[in-house]
Every structure is written in structure tokens, then in C-alpha cells.
Amino acid sequence: MIVKFTCPDCGAPMAYDIAQGKLACAHCGCSSEIGPDPEEWLNAAPEPAPADTAGSGPEEAAPDQPPVCPNCGSPLEMGPKTCSSTCPYCGSSLAMAGRLAGDMRPAKILPFSMDRKKTEESFLKWCHNGRFAPAGFASKSNVKKIRPLYVPYWLYDMDARVDARAQATNVRVYIQGRTEFTETSFYDVSRSMQLSYHDVPYDASEKMADDIMQKIQPYNCGSMKDFQIPYLAGFDADQRDYEAPELLPLVKQQAAGYAGDYVRGTMNGYSAVRITHQDISWENVSSSYVYLPLWFISYKYQDKDYIFAMNGQTGKVVGDPPVAKGKVALWFAGISAIIFAVLMLIGGLL
């Protein structure tokens, strides 16, 4: 079913307001708290989708019938895994309730903290207001294309039993008479400890590059809310592409790095430490499916893709802006001309 969010006072579309933390109507100012999903939303327009879409509810239309906006009747360009989007014709916030049911329903969601105004300010600062960027990159129309979206993630909890051995050295330099001596002492160091990791995130989206999603962290998952469909009003969201067991080896590898750093940190007081053996066994592994917030835009320039990604909770920015070499050359030429003029002026005064 396609869920739309309608103002109870004036009938205009509503969307989640980041500052208020509520559903809000931009037309009349009405707002409402987000509680359990009202049953009447689940009795909305039929949601056509391919018959083999994972996690979809019972279909009430032909699989090849394109979805239409329940507010204006316009056709919607939604992929088979789209869970939330906005009608490009009337601006209605829409959610595909059937694709958010069963095991495809997230347990938690981390609402946005960074609103569009702050995001656009961060974008312009990131690209130096377009000083070196290609023409139009920092234009208002392009800035408005920055999308707020919820990325599907798995959060993992696990306990680790770590046994490690290392070779450590201490170097002491001293002088007796006119002779300098270097004394090196060698030590065998071992550690055995139990570590626990909670809310280790790994993105479950095939569209998003793993390196970008790793750099955009951390998220404060302690601020998550129980998932309710209205949190998606006004934001894009897709179903996950990967199941928890598929990503678990990568998560264990990541957690093993954390464990290695922690173990090394307990071996202080030495000049140098070299880990010679580390064995980790995992216990009590569990996972939960969640949505985490991201602001995102991609840009193609001279056959190369550039991205701007910003953590929707903390404002951390990842990505490199495109640089127009011509603008850089002109800037340096201008600086050089100014320096030359100043030097000539100084020379004339002397």
C-alpha cells in the first residue's frame, strides 16, 4: 500500500520536520506527534510492485502496473526496492507500506538532526562557494538537488575473547665518561581479555560505496527511535540489499581491528611493541536492522563521479569537490598579478 501523509486541518501534504521532530504541514502550520502507525494509513492506495520483491506485502495490482501518486494520480518512477519517496508533481510524501512490513521493517530509525539549511551551508563551505568548482556546481538549483535519505544498516552486537602475544623492547641511552651506551631490553608480553562491542554499523545498501559509509561514521545510535512509517515522510529510503550473515565477516574483520588497537593500547610503557600473535573468538553475535540518516548528492564532471555525503546526525562531511583547472589557473594568475603590482609599488617607493 502507498501511504500518504495528509494534514488533518487543511488536507495539504505533511512531512517530517527535523527541527520540531514532528509531522508538519507547510501550508497551515499544523503539526502532530509521531506515534504508532495509524491503521488508516495502511488502507491507502494499492502498491504495485514486481511479484518477487523481497519483503513486499500482498499485491493488489498487476505486477507490470506502474505505481501512481494517491494524491494527484501522476505516475511514479520508483524502483522495486523503493520504500519512501516524494511525488515530483505534487510534492506529496509517500511511503510504500508493503515494503516496510515483515522482516523488511526496520527495528529502529535515527531521525535527522541536520536540516536542509545547515546542509546547504555545509555544502557551500565544502566547495568554497564554488570558487574552484565547475560553472553551476554551487548554483541554487544544484544545491537544491542534495537529497535527504535513510540508508539501510545492520547493527551488530558481539563479544570477543582475545588472546594476544607481542614482543616489546625498551631502549635506554646513557653516557659514562666520554662513551655513549645504548641498552636494549626485550620482553615477551601477553594479554587475554573479554571485550564487548555494541551497535557496530555496516551499511546494507548496494548503491552506497562502503568506503564512504565507513568514513561518514560515527553515528550516535543511542538516539535511535522505534521505527514508525511517518519518520520517512519527506525522505528517500530503500530496502536493504544484504542480509546480516552476508556482512558479518566484514564486521568481524572491522571489530578485530578495534580489538587489536585496544590490546596494543594496554601494552604501554615500552619503546616499541610488535604483535606476534592474535587470536579472537566470537560469541553472542546478534544483529538488528535500522535506518540511518544521510544527505547526498552525486555530480559527474569530465567523466568522473564526485559525491558530497553528510552525516544527517552529526554533520560530518565526506567527499572531494570537483575542481575546474581553468578557474584555479585564473586564481593563481590573479594572485601573481597582485603580488607583482605590490612589488612594483614598493620598488617605486624605494
Side-chain angles (χ1 to χ4, degrees), residues 14-37:
M14 300 184 81
Y16 179 80
D17 185 276
I18 295 173
Q20 297 185 58
K22 302 177 181 178
L23 277 181
C25 175
H27 181 71
C28 70
C30 173
S31 64
S32 60
E33 299 284 350
I34 294 181
D37 296 342

Side-chain angles (χ1 to χ4, degrees), residues 67-150:
V68 297
C69 175
N71 188 56
C72 69
S74 300
L76 300 172
E77 295 182 3
M78 291 186 175
K81 290 194 172 185
T82 300
C83 295
S84 177
S85 189
T86 301
C87 176
Y89 299 96
C90 69
S92 294
S93 300
L94 307 171
M96 314 289 263
R99 301 179 187 182
L100 293 163
D103 67 351
M104 281 294 172
R105 182 181 177 90
K108 299 280 186 177
I109 188 170
L110 182 61
F112 277 81
S113 296
M114 305 298 295
D115 60 18
R116 176 168 287 280
K117 180 180 178 181
K118 293 178 182 177
T119 301
E120 292 179 358
E121 290 173 353
S122 294
F123 176 83
L124 292 174
K125 182 179 180 181
W126 169 75
C127 68
H128 305 285
N129 288 303
R131 185 181 296 119
F132 303 125
F137 182 75
S139 66
K140 289 184 178 180
S141 60
N142 200 43
V143 172
K144 291 298 180 184
K145 295 178 183 177
I146 303 173
R147 297 166 50 213
L149 54 94
Y150 280 106

Side-chain angles (χ1 to χ4, degrees), residues 22-334:
K22 302 177 181 178
L23 277 181
C25 175
H27 181 71
C28 70
C30 173
S31 64
S32 60
E33 299 284 350
I34 294 181
D37 296 342
E39 289 185 6
E40 59 265 26
W41 289 354
L42 303 182
N43 296 322
E47 172 197 332
D52 59 351
T53 299
S56 297
E59 304 301 339
E60 298 184 18
D64 58 349
Q65 180 182 342
V68 297
C69 175
N71 188 56
C72 69
S74 300
L76 300 172
E77 295 182 3
M78 291 186 175
K81 290 194 172 185
T82 300
C83 295
S84 177
S85 189
T86 301
C87 176
Y89 299 96
C90 69
S92 294
S93 300
L94 307 171
M96 314 289 263
R99 301 179 187 182
L100 293 163
D103 67 351
M104 281 294 172
R105 182 181 177 90
K108 299 280 186 177
I109 188 170
L110 182 61
F112 277 81
S113 296
M114 305 298 295
D115 60 18
R116 176 168 287 280
K117 180 180 178 181
K118 293 178 182 177
T119 301
E120 292 179 358
E121 290 173 353
S122 294
F123 176 83
L124 292 174
K125 182 179 180 181
W126 169 75
C127 68
H128 305 285
N129 288 303
R131 185 181 296 119
F132 303 125
F137 182 75
S139 66
K140 289 184 178 180
S141 60
N142 200 43
V143 172
K144 291 298 180 184
K145 295 178 183 177
I146 303 173
R147 297 166 50 213
L149 54 94
Y150 280 106
V151 181
Y153 269 81
W154 285 105
L155 296 184
Y156 296 83
D157 292 342
M158 60 187 71
D159 295 329
R161 173 73 180 183
V162 184
D163 294 292
R165 295 192 298 273
Q167 185 178 79
T169 57
N170 261 341
V171 178
R172 185 171 73 96
V173 178
Y174 60 95
I175 297 175
Q176 287 186 351
R178 296 183 178 182
T179 305
E180 181 180 278
F181 295 89
T182 299
E183 179 183 273
T184 303
S185 302
F186 296 89
Y187 304 89
D188 289 325
V189 184
S190 63
R191 293 287 187 271
S192 182
M193 58 187 67
Q194 189 82 21
L195 302 175
S196 293
Y197 295 95
H198 300 286
D199 295 335
V200 179
Y202 211 97
D203 77 281
S205 171
E206 190 176 34
K207 293 180 181 179
M208 309 305 295
D210 287 348
D211 59 336
I212 297 297
M213 294 297 96
Q214 292 295 319
K215 291 176 183 178
I216 210 73
Q217 297 176 29
Y219 284 98
N220 177 15
C221 294
S223 302
M224 289 193 299
K225 306 289 186 181
D226 289 337
F227 177 78
Q228 303 293 348
I229 290 179
Y231 282 113
L232 299 182
F235 306 97
D236 292 345
D238 284 349
Q239 290 178 329
R240 64 179 182 262
D241 295 304
Y242 300 103
E243 299 303 319
E246 295 178 88
L247 300 176
L248 184 56
L250 297 174
V251 177
K252 287 182 177 179
Q253 181 180 352
Q254 180 176 301
Y258 301 153
D261 291 341
Y262 182 82
V263 169
R264 183 181 292 275
T266 67
M267 297 178 180
N268 46 27
Y270 302 100
S271 301
V273 175
R274 182 173 64 89
I275 302 294
T276 58
H277 172 80
Q278 179 173 287
D279 182 64
I280 303 178
S281 58
W282 304 97
E283 301 174 339
N284 304 318
V285 178
S286 62
S287 59
S288 59
Y289 180 47
V290 303
Y291 275 151
L292 301 182
L294 183 77
W295 287 93
F296 183 85
I297 187 174
S298 61
Y299 187 84
K300 197 173 190 68
Y301 177 65
Q302 293 187 346
D303 296 326
K304 184 176 179 181
D305 292 320
Y306 295 86
I307 67 101
F308 167 86
M310 190 177 88
N311 186 310
Q313 181 192 38
T314 67
K316 181 179 180 181
V317 173
V318 173
D320 296 312
V323 175
K325 294 181 180 179
K327 284 189 174 183
V328 175
L330 287 173
W331 185 83
F332 277 108

